[in-house]
């Protein structure tokens, strides 16, 4: 805050008006603009990733369908008899996973809300380094362009699953997607990791250093806690993916044998010996599992804020929420091998990881219970954001519970790599995180664009989405229990998987309708930016600092001094107070009627808080 | 099913009409005067949404119960191995536990909105924490988890334990895009060595069998079906020669990745023969199948191998009928070192072999 604040008071005003279009909207260093850039990129990617899933859902639901009408878009990937190419099917599955996990739910979610909310909620003028923040977005942009480009090359994009296990991903002769498509995938992901690290380091630095007066750690909103934990997870685990990718690049291009050994392919024995494909899986999942929490923690953070605000009640168990998130973050690093029970690794390792995995259910359960207790005896306002937040909790619970079965290595023997897994993670991290992101957009839209999104369309969007998501993913568990394997182009070759043709068709129809419902959101989003009703400064009567800014916060966020913080962010419906919310910047001395006994003692400290002097001499 | 799709389509149709109507309203107002609106005013929609959540949940419960009963007949295909029935049992125990949690938690989650929906005459209860409550719901899941972990570990350790000494050893190898099996043969009952550098599809040695190892002489292979005896432990030695594959035998509850360069294994007992299952399921066409569950490329979905479970005596008879690889591919006798040629030639009864034997004798004479 220090330097930015100084800069702002001295000469930032002139600078602000002098910035041209390019510096204000394209190569901007303002965290709010960067957040919007991430959001819009995320939405575009979500549409692309969603459309891909519809194409392979058509294949799975209606294997005999004539897809010739897709020829104008897919060209040669649909053959003469109107059938989707099996390689392209795998490529679609791969790209759908990559796009949704990394580009939508990591960049689109963390990138948007960490950038937007961290400075606004902790009371800072901007991120610790605006320049790094800008770089972070543009690295992401280049990474996006490369990934997008890879869709259009002749041999098709990467097709070995989003987990890109070698040797399939290492040998161009094993799969057409493992040629140029895979190269572009790796380059794109390397840039993505750079972007993610630049962002993550910035988030953590900002939270540690730039909190406003009085914003001690125990007064931070849960959103900020969630973003911080997420950033730490990313900083510690993404470099491991980078090293995994780097070794894979070496194996692919420079003849090394990190992951390759004893391979005979295309009538030739390869010279590689001594490598281990399992090594890649360990490295991949050392990121891959924390990645799941990188996706879900920010969503849970946003939900905490939205549920408390709209229940007009303090979040239940503020400290327990922080400790659960810390517990989840810690455990996230030591459960990765539960993705690998059936890879042939030592069964003893399986036992250890099963134990650790089931422990992680405890903090997750605590979080779910706390949300529900927050609703209890609340005075609940159902904004679209609130509805989506409730939907998130439902998905988190329903999807999380099946994790107890999958985390049990003995039961995983049958269910590993079946549709049970697909159903599980699409509910618990896919749909839940997606709902968190949508809820966040509805809730903070007034602060982002100074306009309100249309409520009625929001309601319709919510109802179509929650019904749709459950109709898609609930029956998928059944298909999984029957043993249907993932990433199958069709199942009819096996007697064992020859049932459920109607259920698969049903899921596909539900998926198409659910995707259609998202277009309502896209329409609402674009419409509201331009023609939405003007918002008030604090439309949801919320306590956190971002709502003390003007309707359209300018560069530096607060026109005058940054507000000082005196209380935690959840003083909703405090007994004795006339209003049902008391923002964080209201001192206890101003609310004698509602103070708790221990809070009256804090009044004396208010002077000290106000007298805190920041050292303005920290070099930028 | 058609009915449901119909209802679903109707539902979305109604929603679409609503949306279009609303959109037109909005578009009309585009040019109208925009006022700052205090959107926090709670209107009638609040009550409808609160009610909607509860109705949604009630309908969901009906849907979940109905669909579960409807789909149940195809769940977990009849297990044909003792460990499979054990994991199935614990699957359903875990399922019961999570189903209870699923209904309780979701019921509260969807009921509270209705019960505590906004009322301007009421104030929410300021209830920031309750340590006792927190401890209770930390401890209860922890205890349930501990129970599940404990039972899970016992089952896991038993399934993954070393195979019994007398287990029938069969090698299964995955490649793009087929499975192939190799048996240790009836004479020595030992699998011969292999080396991936000896693989040669053109010559027929797709397993990379090493003919300098005499154990390989009587080994026989099969690319279309795997036979195993009923009631006897079977140890699968699993390998892959190009990319990752995964052996999946749905009815046996067997799954294990096949990894190039790292042999894996899985042992089990099949206690229902193919004939038993045909009678039990009343399906004369029933067959056990082996599938691949690790993405391996284009025809991943087509990697099927038939599994035939025979009565033990039929199995032994079947094994005796099988021709060793060497008998079917006598050319590989050339690869056998001289000191072992005599043993190898037992398996080769063609004229070539006699010629080979003659030349050998000649060499000895010289």
């Amino acid at each position: 805050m220090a330097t930015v604040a100084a800069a702002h008071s001295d000469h930032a005003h002139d600078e602000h008006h002098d910035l041209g279009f390019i510096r204000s909207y394209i190569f901007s260093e303002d965290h709010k603009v960067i957040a919007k850039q991430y959001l819009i990129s995320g939405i575009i990617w979500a549409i692309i990733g969603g459309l891909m899933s519809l194409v392979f859902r058509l294949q799975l639901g209606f294997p005999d369908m004539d897809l010739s009408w897709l020829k104008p878009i897919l060209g040669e990937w649909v053959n003469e008899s109107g059938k989707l190419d099996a390689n392209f099917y795998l490529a679609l599955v791969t790209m759908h996973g990559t796009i949704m996990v990394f580009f939508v739910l990591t960049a689109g979610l963390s990138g948007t809300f960490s950038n937007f909310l961290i400075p606004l909620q902790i009371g800072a003028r901007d991120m610790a380094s605006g320049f790094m923040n800008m770089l972070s977005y543009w690295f992401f942009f280049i990474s996006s362009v490369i990934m997008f480009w890879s869709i259009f090359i002749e041999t098709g994009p990467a097709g070995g699953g989003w987990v890109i296990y070698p040797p399939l991903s290492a040998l161009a002769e094993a799969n057409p997607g493992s040629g140029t498509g895979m190269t572009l995938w790796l380059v794109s992901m390397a840039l993505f990791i750079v972007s993610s690290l630049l962002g993550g380091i910035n988030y953590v630095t900002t939270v540690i250093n730039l909190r406003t007066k009085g914003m001690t750690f125990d007064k931070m909103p849960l959103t900020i806690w969630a973003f911080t934990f997420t950033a730490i997870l990313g900083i510690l685990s993404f470099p491991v993916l980078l090293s995994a990718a780097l070794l894979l690049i070496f194996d692919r291009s420079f003849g090394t044998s990190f992951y390759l050994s004893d391979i005979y392919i295309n009538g030739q024995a390869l010279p590689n010996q001594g490598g281990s494909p399992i090594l890649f899986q360990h490295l991949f999942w050392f990121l891959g599992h924390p990645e799941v929490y990188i996706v879900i923690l920010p969503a849970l953070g946003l939900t905490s804020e939205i549920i408390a605000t709209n229940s007009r009640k303090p979040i239940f168990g503020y400290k327990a929420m922080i400790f659960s998130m810390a517990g989840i973050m810690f455990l996230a690093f030591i459960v990765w091998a539960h993705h690998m029970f059936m890879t042939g690794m030592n069964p003893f390792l399986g036992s250890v990881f099963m134990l650790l995995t089931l422990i992680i259910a405890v903090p997750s359960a605590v979080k779910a219970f706390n949300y529900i207790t927050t609703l209890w005896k609340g005075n609940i306002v159902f904004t679209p954001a609130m509805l989506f937040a409730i939907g998130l909790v439902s998905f988190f619970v329903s999807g999380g519970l099946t994790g107890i079965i999958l985390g049990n290595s003995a039961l995983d023997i049958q269910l590993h790599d079946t549709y049970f897994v697909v159903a599980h993670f699409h509910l618990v991290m896919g749909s839940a995180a997606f709902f968190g992101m949508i809820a966040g957009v509805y809730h903070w839209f007034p602060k982002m664009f100074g306009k309100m999104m249309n409520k009625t369309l929001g309601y319709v969007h919510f109802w179509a989405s929650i019904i749709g998501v459950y109709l898609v993913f609930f029956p998928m568990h059944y298909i999984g229990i029957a043993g249907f394997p993932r990433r199958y182009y069709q199942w009819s070759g096996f007697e064992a998987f020859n049932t459920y043709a109607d259920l698969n068709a049903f899921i596909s129809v539900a998926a198409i309708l659910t995707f259609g419902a998202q277009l309502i959101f896209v329409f609402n989003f674009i419409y509201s930016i331009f023609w939405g009703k003007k918002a008030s400064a604090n439309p949801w009567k919320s306590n956190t600092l971002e709502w003390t800014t003007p309707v359209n916060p300018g560069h530096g966020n607060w026109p005058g001094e940054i507000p000082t913080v005196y209380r935690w962010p959840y003083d909703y419906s405090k007994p004795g107070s006339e209003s049902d919310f008391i923002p964080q910047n209201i001192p206890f001395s101003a609310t004698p009627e509602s103070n708790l006994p221990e809070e009256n003692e804090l009044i004396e400290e208010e002077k000290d808080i106000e007298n805190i002097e920041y050292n303005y001499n920290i070099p930028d | 099913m058609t009915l449901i799709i119909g209802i679903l389509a109707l539902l979305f149709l109604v929603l679409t009409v609503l949306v279009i109507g609303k959109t037109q309203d909005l578009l009309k107002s585009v040019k109208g005067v925009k006022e700052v609106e205090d959107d926090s005013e709670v209107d009638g929609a609040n009550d409808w949404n609160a009610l909607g959540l509860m109705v949604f949940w009630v309908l969901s419960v009906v849907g979940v119960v109905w669909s579960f009963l409807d789909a149940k007949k195809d769940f977990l295909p009849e297990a044909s191995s003792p460990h499979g029935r054990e994991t199935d049992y614990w699957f359903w125990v875990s399922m019961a536990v999570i189903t209870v949690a699923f209904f309780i938690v979701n019921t509260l989650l969807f009921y509270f909105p209705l019960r505590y929906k906004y009322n301007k005459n009421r104030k929410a209860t300021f209830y920031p924490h309750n340590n006792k409550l927190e401890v209770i719901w930390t401890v209860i899941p922890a205890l349930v988890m501990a129970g599940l972990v404990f039972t899970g570990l016992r089952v896991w350790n038993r399934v993954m334990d070393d195979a019994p000494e007398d287990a029938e050893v069969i090698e299964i190898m995955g490649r793009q895009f087929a499975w192939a099996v190799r048996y240790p043969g009836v004479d020595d009952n030992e699998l011969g060595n292999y080396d991936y550098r000896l693989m040669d599809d053109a010559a027929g040695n797709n397993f990379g069998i090493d003919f300098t190892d005499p154990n390989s002489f009587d080994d026989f292979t099969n690319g279309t079906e795997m036979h195993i005896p009923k009631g006897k432990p079977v140890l699968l030695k699993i390998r892959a020669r190009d990319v990752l594959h995964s052996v999946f035998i749905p009815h046996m509850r067997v799954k294990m990745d096949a990894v190039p360069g790292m042999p894996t294994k899985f042992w089990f007992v099949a206690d229902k023969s193919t004939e038993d299952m045909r009678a039990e399921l009343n399906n004369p066409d029933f067959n056990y199948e082996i599938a691949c569950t690790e993405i391996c490329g284009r025809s991943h979905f087509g990697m099927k191998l038939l599994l035939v479970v025979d009565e033990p005596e039929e199995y032994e008879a079947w094994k005796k009928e099988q021709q060793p690889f060497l008998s079917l591919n006598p050319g590989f006798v050339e690869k056998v070192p001289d000191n072992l040629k005599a043993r190898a030639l037992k398996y080769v009864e063609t004229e070539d072999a006699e010629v080979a034997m003659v030349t050998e004798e000649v060499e000895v004479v010289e």
Side-chain angles (χ1 to χ4, degrees):
Chain A
M1 185 201 82
T3 44
V4 183
H8 184 75
S9 52
D10 297 343
H11 51 85
H13 275 293
D14 323 40
E15 216 173 71
H16 178 196
H17 298 295
D18 288 342
L19 290 176
F21 178 81
I22 290 182
R23 289 300 308 278
S24 319
Y25 295 104
I26 300 176
F27 295 107
S28 170
E29 295 183 15
D30 186 307
H31 70 103
K32 298 181 291 298
V33 176
I34 295 173
K36 289 174 206 170
Q37 290 174 329
Y38 268 116
L39 178 60
I40 291 166
S41 316
I43 291 175
I44 294 170
W45 270 123
I47 294 170
I48 298 172
L51 283 173
M52 287 178 165
S53 72
L54 295 192
V55 176
F56 64 71
R57 263 330 307 183
L58 280 180
Q59 165 63 29
L60 293 173
F62 308 96
D64 301 323
M65 194 187 223
D66 183 359
L67 292 177
S68 303
W69 55 277
L70 279 173
K71 253 185 174 310
I73 309 168
L74 300 181
E76 298 291 306
W77 297 118
V78 176
N79 68 14
E80 266 92 67
S81 45
K83 296 284 288 174
L84 194 69
D85 183 78
N87 276 324
F88 191 64
Y89 168 83
L90 293 179
L92 282 175
V93 175
T94 306
M95 295 312 281
H96 170 75
T98 308
I99 288 169
M100 290 306 197
V101 171
F102 294 111
F103 291 67
V104 179
L105 295 176
T106 303
L109 180 58
S110 269
T112 304
F113 290 103
S114 296
N115 266 316
F116 191 73
L117 291 178
I118 289 177
L120 282 171
Q121 289 197 333
I122 65 169
R125 297 281 180 207
D126 206 312
M127 282 286 178
S129 167
F131 179 71
M132 256 169 77
N133 210 15
M134 178 186 81
L135 273 189
S136 162
Y137 176 76
W138 288 102
F139 267 107
F140 165 66
F141 186 84
I142 300 169
S143 152
S144 294
V145 169
I146 295 175
M147 192 62 85
F148 189 69
W149 175 28
S150 84
I151 302 171
F152 299 98
I153 60 177
E154 196 183 348
T155 47
W162 78 281
V163 296
I164 57 153
Y165 284 172
L168 183 63
S169 62
L171 306 172
E173 54 269 58
N175 184 281
S178 299
T180 319
M182 195 65 224
T183 307
L184 291 175
W185 194 97
L186 288 166
V187 171
S188 166
M189 281 313 296
L191 291 170
F192 183 90
I193 293 166
V194 171
S195 149
S196 166
L197 289 176
L198 285 170
I201 291 168
N202 222 344
Y203 304 151
V204 175
T205 316
T206 308
V207 170
I208 293 176
N209 293 309
L210 299 189
R211 282 165 291 126
T212 182
K213 292 178 193 175
M215 179 61 91
T216 47
F217 278 112
D218 60 350
K219 295 198 190 78
M220 285 201 316
L222 286 170
T223 33
I224 303 301
W225 276 107
F227 298 146
T228 312
F229 287 135
T230 306
I232 295 171
L233 275 170
I235 293 170
L236 294 180
S237 62
F238 265 116
V240 180
L241 180 66
L242 186 63
S243 56
L246 222 57
L247 297 186
L248 184 55
I249 291 172
F250 285 167
D251 272 8
R252 289 166 51 82
S253 308
F254 307 120
T256 55
S257 310
F258 292 106
Y259 307 131
L260 305 177
S261 186
D262 297 19
I263 291 167
Y264 178 89
I265 194 163
N266 261 4
Q268 265 194 323
L270 302 185
N272 311 68
Q273 271 191 296
S276 165
I278 306 296
L279 169 66
F280 178 85
Q281 299 179 20
H282 280 297
L283 292 174
F284 180 86
W285 286 112
F286 191 86
L287 158 92
H289 197 78
E291 172 63 30
V292 176
Y293 295 97
I294 290 173
V295 162
I296 195 67
L297 279 180
L300 292 173
L302 297 171
T303 301
S304 307
E305 189 60 35
I306 292 167
I307 287 189
T309 303
N310 290 298
S311 300
R312 316 307 297 159
K313 250 192 90 188
I315 191 85
F316 183 80
Y318 172 75
K319 290 211 168 114
M321 290 299 238
I322 297 171
F323 283 118
S324 328
M325 281 196 279
I328 289 174
M329 179 189 78
F330 174 70
L331 289 168
F333 283 110
I334 48 173
V335 297
W336 78 88
H338 68 219
H339 298 269
M340 301 169 56
F341 285 143
M342 307 325 299
T343 55
M345 71 174 187
N346 191 318
F348 175 71
L349 213 52
S351 330
V352 175
F353 277 97
M354 164 183 175
L355 180 72
L356 294 167
T357 299
L358 293 194
I359 294 175
I360 215 168
V362 176
S364 309
V366 169
K367 284 195 78 76
F369 293 144
N370 283 1
Y371 286 131
I372 291 170
T373 316
T374 306
L375 296 176
W376 180 69
K377 290 202 173 171
N379 205 14
I380 307 169
V381 182
F382 296 98
T383 61
M386 181 63 171
L387 290 169
F388 275 96
I390 291 172
L392 176 150
V393 177
S394 180
F395 293 154
F396 187 66
V397 170
S398 308
L401 283 168
T402 49
I404 294 170
I405 290 184
L406 289 168
N408 185 331
S409 51
L411 308 184
D412 190 52
I413 297 173
Q414 178 73 4
L415 297 171
H416 185 79
D417 266 335
T418 63
Y419 264 75
F420 198 77
V421 180
V422 178
H424 160 72
F425 72 74
H426 272 96
L427 273 185
V428 76
M429 71 168 254
S431 304
F434 182 72
F435 265 42
M437 184 169 162
I438 297 287
V441 174
Y442 278 111
H443 194 77
W444 278 280
F445 192 86
K447 198 48 56 185
M448 286 182 177
F449 299 99
K451 304 281 177 65
M452 303 298 290
M453 284 182 84
N454 183 278
K455 266 188 353 184
T456 313
L457 288 183
Y459 295 146
V460 175
H461 175 215
F462 167 74
W463 286 108
S465 298
I466 190 169
I467 295 170
V469 167
Y470 265 126
L471 287 181
V472 172
F473 297 115
F474 207 86
M476 235 180 231
H477 289 96
Y478 299 159
I479 296 175
I481 299 174
F484 283 47
R486 293 170 76 172
R487 297 171 179 143
Y488 265 35
Y489 174 70
Q490 60 186 34
W491 291 287
S492 47
F494 287 84
E495 260 178 63
F497 315 131
N498 221 348
T499 50
Y500 286 141
D502 51 353
L503 203 53
N504 266 314
F506 175 79
I507 290 174
S508 297
V509 173
I512 292 165
L513 295 175
T514 312
F515 179 83
Q518 306 315 306
L519 299 180
I520 302 172
F521 170 78
V522 176
F523 168 78
N524 196 356
F525 183 81
I526 297 170
Y527 174 86
S528 301
I529 289 177
F530 296 105
W531 303 288
K533 286 178 183 141
K534 286 213 177 79
S536 55
N538 187 0
W540 319 120
K541 300 193 175 111
S542 193
N543 285 343
T544 37
L545 285 185
E546 74 271 30
W547 306 106
T548 64
T549 61
V551 177
N552 286 305
H555 192 59
N557 296 339
W558 284 269
E561 207 179 316
I562 298 177
T564 304
V565 166
Y566 300 95
R567 59 177 78 226
W568 78 327
Y570 299 108
D571 268 347
Y572 291 105
S573 302
K574 212 166 180 200
S577 164
E578 212 161 278
S579 156
D580 70 349
F581 71 112
I582 312 174
Q584 284 191 280
N585 59 337
I586 308 288
F588 289 119
S589 50
T591 57
E593 70 282 0
S594 67
N595 288 351
L596 302 170
E598 66 268 25
E599 288 170 345
N600 278 322
E601 292 165 23
L602 295 174
I603 293 178
E604 290 169 24
E605 292 173 21
E606 286 173 1
K607 279 274 171 298
D608 299 337
I609 295 175
E610 282 153 21
N611 289 334
I612 294 175
E613 283 288 335
Y614 285 100
N615 177 7
Y616 289 102
N617 297 322
I618 302 170
D620 196 5
Chain B
M1 193 51 67
T2 330
L3 185 72
I4 299 173
I5 294 180
I7 293 171
L8 201 66
L10 203 68
L11 181 75
F12 276 88
L13 205 68
V14 172
L15 288 177
T16 317
V17 170
L18 270 174
V19 173
I20 292 173
K22 186 71 197 170
T23 313
Q24 279 173 341
D25 285 355
L26 286 176
L27 291 174
K28 269 182 218 156
S29 69
V30 166
K31 284 174 188 156
V33 191
K34 281 165 285 179
E35 292 163 31
V36 174
E37 189 205 36
D38 195 5
D39 236 32
S40 55
E41 268 321 290
V42 177
D43 53 23
N46 211 56
D47 294 351
W48 283 108
N49 279 309
L51 188 65
L53 286 169
M54 194 61 208
V55 170
F56 168 74
W57 177 237
V58 171
L59 292 178
S60 296
V61 172
V62 176
V64 166
V65 173
W66 172 80
S67 63
F68 181 88
L69 295 175
D70 186 60
K72 196 172 179 305
K73 59 183 189 306
D74 294 313
F75 285 174
L76 290 177
E78 198 57 42
S80 301
S81 62
H83 87 264
R85 277 188 290 277
E86 198 174 352
T87 55
D88 283 6
Y89 173 78
W90 287 109
F91 172 79
W92 287 116
V93 169
S94 305
M95 205 55 162
V97 172
I98 68 169
T99 305
V100 170
F102 170 77
F103 281 117
I104 293 177
V105 177
N106 273 313
T107 304
L108 294 178
L109 179 68
F110 288 110
Y111 169 68
F112 285 165
L114 180 62
R115 176 70 182 73
Y116 301 109
K117 63 176 192 278
Y118 186 81
N119 177 343
K120 64 179 186 301
N121 301 319
R122 202 163 54 84
K123 209 170 172 185
T125 309
F126 188 81
Y127 192 61
H129 66 100
N130 177 336
N131 292 346
K132 205 165 127 193
L133 220 51
E134 301 266 7
V135 170
I136 291 174
W137 63 47
T138 309
V139 170
I140 291 180
L143 287 178
V144 175
M145 289 304 134
L148 293 176
V149 168
F150 180 68
T151 54
L153 279 180
R154 266 185 29 220
V155 179
W156 171 251
N157 287 335
R158 213 163 335 146
V159 176
M160 289 292 149
D161 206 1
D162 286 337
E165 290 281 314
D166 64 332
E168 192 73 18
V169 178
I170 302 169
E171 184 182 60
I172 177 163
M173 183 186 74
R175 64 185 166 103
Q176 287 181 324
F177 295 98
W179 294 108
V181 289
R182 181 163 70 116
Y183 286 77
V186 281
D187 296 344
D188 58 16
N189 204 22
E190 290 279 344
L191 278 169
N193 290 341
Y194 63 87
D195 187 323
Y196 84 101
R197 283 165 297 196
L198 298 173
M199 288 177 185
D200 189 346
D201 281 352
N205 191 1
N206 52 14
F207 274 86
I209 303 173
D210 179 0
F211 289 100
T212 59
D213 177 6
N215 286 334
S216 64
F217 297 164
D218 66 339
D219 293 358
F220 61 87
T221 63
N222 196 317
T224 54
E225 55 185 36
M226 178 199 273
H227 281 248
I228 60 171
K230 172 179 153 186
K232 196 177 169 202
V234 173
L235 170 63
L236 295 182
K237 294 204 158 181
I238 303 164
R239 62 180 167 115
R241 64 173 220 186
D242 37 34
V243 300
L244 293 173
H245 300 276
S246 187
V247 177
F248 178 35
I249 316 178
H251 289 87
M252 300 297 168
R253 309 295 188 260
V254 167
K255 186 175 289 152
M256 182 55 71
D257 281 8
V259 185
M262 190 187 93
T264 55
K265 59 187 190 325
F266 198 108
W267 77 272
F268 65 102
V269 179
D271 60 2
K272 289 178 189 171
S273 70
T274 302
E275 289 303 326
D276 292 346
M277 278 297 266
R278 283 178 182 168
E280 187 179 328
L281 298 177
N282 207 7
N283 174 8
D285 301 321
F286 173 84
N287 274 312
Y288 290 112
E289 291 161 324
I290 299 176
C292 177
T293 50
E294 187 65 69
I295 182 172
C296 59
R298 182 187 177 86
S299 299
H300 171 50
F301 66 99
M303 271 183 73
K304 181 163 94 166
L305 189 77
L306 280 186
L307 173 69
V308 182
V309 182
D310 294 315
E311 295 294 334
E313 53 275 17
E314 292 172 26
Y315 173 71
E316 293 303 328
W318 175 82
K319 271 202 330 189
K320 288 216 173 64
E321 286 168 20
Q322 302 306 305
Q323 295 269 339
F325 181 85
L326 204 51
S327 314
L328 295 170
N329 302 278
F332 285 98
V333 171
E334 282 175 33
K335 310 266 183 193
V336 177
D338 293 346
N339 57 342
L340 297 170
K341 267 216 165 107
R343 278 171 71 183
L345 287 170
K346 273 202 299 182
Y347 298 97
V348 184
E349 289 154 7
T350 56
E351 287 178 17
D352 290 353
E354 280 159 27
V355 174
M357 207 178 305
V358 170
T359 47
E360 194 180 31
E361 278 165 13
V362 173
E363 278 163 18
V364 171
V365 171
E366 278 172 3

